[in-house]
């Protein structure tokens, strides 16, 4: 038993010396290729076995012949181990370089495609992560392109909508200044109308900028949807009368919600104004509010005749007005974008779908607790 412990101790000391030397070498080559690391690891394993064997052989006073035999066996094992490590290292490095080339392709705007052939579990996991990252980058690029296109449309339409009333204001002010206005009071009323419309447009732009900047500060309080809808219907009634549109709010349940009353009134106002302007005379705009499995659903249904299916995903985009809404009374295409921003700030969602004879805009909000 004592001899066995002595042999184990000598073997451990010899192997430990080789391992310590190998650790120092690994530290020196830590910035080199993986092939160098694998070669050092293989060499350390063989050197540790050789050092332990030589230490035990020296202690046991083996003959020179026996010591030569043992050394030769260990040397052959070292050659095979180093060759195997080099082959493995070259294969892993080649796979890593292929991954680097593939990763560079989606970094330049392309899609990531994993290199063909077998791979280690770690490299395969890295390939899956790169594929997921590539998909996320592609989605981000698509969103960025959509936002850029939306910004360009918004700038173009805002420029048009600002230029038209400004030209009218300039013409009317010059007529008043030159004293050639046949009816100055009518000109003054028209100037006030145009100024109010410009003020509303600037207000919408400011509101949208706050939403996009994440600076929309909400002060939620417990409110009944019945009261919110009633106030919104009362505010939109003059516009509905002017357009000959009937407002209906018979299916509104007194459901409590935790919302910012001012901002949600703006949401309802924008939806009602949009619905009234798109509904022909003698048409009906219906408002409803009810509980659902997802919370509380507030809906506004108009009689616009429907929206083309390909345009439905863009309805809430900034600056979108559709092909039929390019005249100044249609606004700058900000109302529905503001609706979505405010609703999402309340942790809700805004959707639209076609129904018989028109569209149904739905706002889903979390129900109030208790």
């Amino acid at each position: 038993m004592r001899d066995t412990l002595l042999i184990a101790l000598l073997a451990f000391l010899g192997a430990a010396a080789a391992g310590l030397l190998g650790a120092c070498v690994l530290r020196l080559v830590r910035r080199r290729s993986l092939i160098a690391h694998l070669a050092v690891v293989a060499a350390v394993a063989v050197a540790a076995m050789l050092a332990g064997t030589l230490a035990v052989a020296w202690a046991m006073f083996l003959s020179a012949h026996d010591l030569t035999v043992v050394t030769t066996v260990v040397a052959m094992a070292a050659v095979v181990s180093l060759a195997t490590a080099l082959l493995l290292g070259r294969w892993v490095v080649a796979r890593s370089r292929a991954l680097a080339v593939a990763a560079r392709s989606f970094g330049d705007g392309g899609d990531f495609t994993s290199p063909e052939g077998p791979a280690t579990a770690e490299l395969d996991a890295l390939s899956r992560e790169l594929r997921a990252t590539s998909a996320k980058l592609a989605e981000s690029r698509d969103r960025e392109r959509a936002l850029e296109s939306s910004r360009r449309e918004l700038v173009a339409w805002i420029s048009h909508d600002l230029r038209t009333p400004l030209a009218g204001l300039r013409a009317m002010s010059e007529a008043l200044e030159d004293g050639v206005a046949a009816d100055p009071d009518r000109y003054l009323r028209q100037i006030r109308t145009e100024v109010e419309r410009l003020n509303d447009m600037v207000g919408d732009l400011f509101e949208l900028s706050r939403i996009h900047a994440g600076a929309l500060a909400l002060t939620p309080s417990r409110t009944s949807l019945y009261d919110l809808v009633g106030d919104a219907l009362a505010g939109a009634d003059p516009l509905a009368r002017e357009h000959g549109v009937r407002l209906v709010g018979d299916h509104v349940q007194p459901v409590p919600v935790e919302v910012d009353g001012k901002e949600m009134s703006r949401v309802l106002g924008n939806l009602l104004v949009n619905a009234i302007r798109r509904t022909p005379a003698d048409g009906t705009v219906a408002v409803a509010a009810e509980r659902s499995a997802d919370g509380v659903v507030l809906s506004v249904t108009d009689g616009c005749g429907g929206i083309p299916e390909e345009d439905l995903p863009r309805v809430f985009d900034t600056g979108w007005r559709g092909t039929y809404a390019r005249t100044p009374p249609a606004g700058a295409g900000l109302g529905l974008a503001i609706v979505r921003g405010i609703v999402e700030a309340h942790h809700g969602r805004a959707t639209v779908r076609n129904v018989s004879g028109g569209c149904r805009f739905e706002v889903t909000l979390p129900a109030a607790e208790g």
Side-chain angles (χ1 to χ4, degrees):
M1 185 64 180
R2 182 178 178 182
D3 293 340
T4 302
L5 292 176
L6 180 60
I7 291 172
L9 178 60
L10 292 173
F12 172 76
L13 291 175
L20 183 60
L21 179 60
C24 295
V25 175
L26 282 176
R27 180 175 178 81
L28 293 175
V29 301
R30 62 184 181 277
R31 298 184 183 276
R32 303 295 295 274
S33 171
L34 180 63
I35 297 177
H37 288 75
L38 289 176
V40 171
V41 170
V44 168
V46 175
M49 182 176 63
L50 178 60
T53 302
L54 291 177
V56 172
W58 175 79
M60 295 176 62
F61 298 102
L62 292 179
S63 65
H65 177 270
D66 293 341
L67 186 59
T68 302
V69 170
V70 171
T71 304
T72 302
V73 171
V74 174
M76 294 301 102
V79 171
V80 174
S81 298
L82 286 173
T84 304
L86 291 175
L87 289 175
L88 176 62
R90 289 175 61 87
W91 177 73
V92 173
V93 168
R95 182 72 180 186
S96 299
R97 289 174 178 170
L99 278 177
V101 173
R104 192 180 303 119
S105 66
F106 82 80
D108 294 335
D111 294 327
F112 175 78
T113 303
S114 298
E116 297 181 357
T120 63
E122 292 78 9
L123 291 178
D124 190 57
L126 179 59
S127 296
R128 290 195 299 269
E129 290 297 327
L130 289 174
R131 280 196 298 271
T133 303
S134 175
K136 292 178 181 178
L137 285 175
E139 293 176 1
S140 298
R141 286 194 294 267
D142 291 340
R143 284 196 300 270
E144 184 178 355
R145 294 191 189 102
L147 287 174
E148 185 60 29
S149 175
S150 178
R151 290 190 190 100
R152 286 196 300 266
E153 292 178 355
L154 175 62
V155 170
W157 287 342
I158 284 289
S159 300
H160 174 270
D161 291 347
L162 287 175
R163 188 182 299 113
T164 301
L166 287 175
L169 288 171
R170 181 177 181 178
M172 287 184 287
S173 63
E174 289 176 351
L176 290 172
E177 186 179 73
D178 296 339
V180 297
D183 186 355
D185 291 337
R186 184 174 67 84
Y187 275 46
L188 290 173
R189 288 193 299 271
Q190 184 64 26
I191 288 175
R192 175 171 183 147
T193 300
E194 295 295 338
V195 170
E196 288 178 351
R197 191 161 69 85
L198 289 173
N199 182 68
D200 292 340
M201 193 181 302
V202 172
D204 286 345
L205 284 171
F206 178 70
E207 182 78 0
L208 194 63
S209 68
R210 287 201 305 159
I211 291 172
H212 286 172
L216 184 63
L218 300 177
T219 55
S221 60
R222 191 179 183 88
T223 310
S224 173
L225 274 183
Y226 187 85
D227 296 334
L228 285 175
V229 172
D231 293 342
L233 289 174
D237 186 64
L239 181 63
R241 291 179 181 273
E242 179 183 344
H243 286 75
V245 175
R246 293 184 299 274
L247 290 179
V248 178
D250 298 336
H251 298 86
V252 179
Q253 299 178 3
V255 182
V257 289
E258 288 280 346
V259 296
D260 186 307
K262 179 182 177 181
E263 297 297 340
M264 284 308 301
S265 295
R266 182 161 195 163
V267 167
L268 284 171
N270 286 359
L271 290 176
L272 286 172
V273 169
N274 180 74
I276 292 170
R277 286 176 174 170
R278 301 292 180 266
T279 301
D282 294 331
T284 300
V285 172
V287 183
E290 57 186 358
R291 291 184 181 272
S292 71
D294 297 331
V296 178
V297 177
L298 175 65
S299 64
V300 176
T301 305
D302 59 34
C304 69
I307 299 174
E309 291 294 330
E310 62 272 14
D311 287 340
L312 283 177
R314 295 198 58 204
V315 167
F316 292 98
D317 288 352
T318 301
W320 185 88
R321 294 187 295 186
T323 57
Y324 62 87
R326 296 184 180 264
T327 55
L334 305 181
L336 294 179
I338 291 173
V339 166
R340 180 174 63 178
I342 295 176
V343 171
E344 290 180 351
H346 283 86
H347 306 290
R349 68 177 185 274
T351 58
V352 61
R353 57 188 173 90
N354 287 323
V355 296
S356 177
C359 301
R360 179 183 174 94
F361 288 83
E362 292 185 347
V363 171
T364 304
L365 297 169
E369 297 181 358

